[in-house]
Amino acid sequence: MSRRRWVLVAASCAVLALAVVILFVAAPWRSEPIAAPPPAATHATSAPAPTPTPTEQPTPPQSSQAALAAVPLAFFDAAIAALPDPATLHPATAWQVATPRAPLVGLYASPGAASPVIAALGSTVPTINRPTAVAVYGTEGGMILISTPSRRTVPGSGAPSAPSATFAWARAADFILTPIDRIVEVDNATSTVSIVTREGALVASEKARLGTPTDPTPAATSTYMEANYVDPRVTYTDGNPISLTGAHSSLLPGFGGNSALTALHYYPDPTGSSHGCVRVSAAMTRALAKLPVGTPIVFS
């Protein structure tokens, strides 16, 4: 083959090869299509259950003053058998005192809405004419468990002893509730009276003269400071304040012309025993007098 012809053949092959390359590059690339990713699996989620609104426990309807005047008055000389048995209750200091909003407020044997009024508590302590305030020892719905100044039964009337203190349920709405931070503790085992804060700190504490087995000081019960006053007629107190409690003697039906009430008071003789009262120093009577009426008093 001549040189010229060889050159032509080679040139033709080069042109053909270039055309094949151009055709390959220009043609679209064909491959299996890439499937779109599947949608994320959705899991049915239930909406969170709404927090139920607490149902307020219904309370007995408010009684009229006329209706309350027709039931027994709960005061220190009264014995009201319809009051709840203290042995069935579990009073615990609620660190509040309750002051009646009206001249008379209703007391109930149980906290239920259908519970009938069994007694009335006055806004004034009879005889000494001091404002009433009582200790709160429990709550249930719109009801509060409070101390009362009355007895449930009188010792000697069919039973050799009777509870020293009583409680009743009342409508919280019928009272002004005030927080407190001190209580009084009377310890029969150590013959000690103390003022104690909510945190357990001692504000004041001293030895006291208590009752005897036949004239005992209340024990294993709780009550309240019913009144704090000075009575010049009680000469042995030497003009020092008397802290009257809502508790009574568990064995004596009466003493000194009253229903065997228990008080914390001054007595000039620092020795001997009392007839159930708590005999303390003049300094302690003044410390007690600084506490609000209604302050809880716990006898152990």
Side-chain angles (χ1 to χ4, degrees):
M1 182 180 294
S2 67
R3 179 178 178 84
R4 182 180 176 193
R5 196 169 176 184
W6 170 256
V7 171
L8 289 175
V9 171
S12 299
C13 289
V15 170
L16 180 61
L18 179 61
V20 171
V21 169
I22 293 172
L23 179 64
F24 181 83
V25 172
W29 178 256
R30 298 187 181 274
S31 65
E32 292 296 323
I34 301 175
T42 58
H43 300 282
T45 57
S46 57
T51 302
T53 302
T55 302
E56 186 173 342
Q57 181 175 334
T59 58
Q62 185 176 26
S63 298
S64 68
Q65 292 295 293
L68 293 173
V71 298
L73 179 66
F75 75 111
F76 48 72
D77 279 346
I80 303 173
L83 289 171
D85 182 355
T88 66
L89 303 172
H90 304 284
T93 301
W95 300 96
Q96 290 179 313
V97 297
T99 305
R101 293 181 180 271
L104 294 172
V105 293
L107 301 181
Y108 305 82
S110 67
S115 182
V117 174
I118 57 170
L121 179 69
S123 60
T124 302
V125 180
T127 306
I128 58 177
N129 298 319
R130 294 291 196 281
T132 295
V134 294
V136 179
Y137 278 103
T139 61
E140 186 168 327
M143 302 291 283
I144 53 176
L145 183 67
I146 61 173
S147 290
T148 90
S150 301
R151 280 173 154 163
R152 186 169 184 261
T153 57
V154 178
S157 57
S161 65
S164 294
T166 59
F167 305 86
W169 290 96
R171 290 162 34 97
D174 292 342
F175 292 83
I176 298 170
L177 302 178
T178 306
I180 56 169
D181 64 353
R182 287 169 169 80
I183 64 172
V184 179
E185 294 181 348
V186 179
D187 189 330
N188 279 269
T190 61
S191 296
T192 303
V193 59
S194 305
I195 300 174
V196 184
T197 69
R198 187 167 188 171
E199 292 74 29
L202 284 177
V203 175
S205 184
E206 68 176 35
K207 289 288 185 178
R209 277 76 65 205
L210 306 180
T212 66
T214 54
D215 294 339
T217 295
T221 192
S222 298
T223 185
Y224 70 109
M225 188 178 294
E226 185 174 2
N228 222 306
Y229 60 99
V230 173
D231 189 344
R233 297 171 299 175
V234 186
T235 57
Y236 56 75
T237 61
D238 284 353
N240 290 293
I242 299 170
S243 295
L244 180 67
T245 81
H248 301 73
S249 171
S250 61
L251 296 181
L252 302 178
F255 183 84
N258 61 51
S259 53
L261 298 169
T262 302
L264 289 78
H265 62 77
Y266 173 76
Y267 196 78
D269 182 2
T271 64
S273 301
S274 73
H275 295 283
C277 284
V278 181
R279 296 177 178 177
V280 295
S281 69
M284 179 59 79
T285 66
R286 291 191 292 271
L288 293 168
K290 294 178 182 178
L291 301 176
V293 172
T295 293
I297 299 176
V298 179
F299 290 92
S300 61

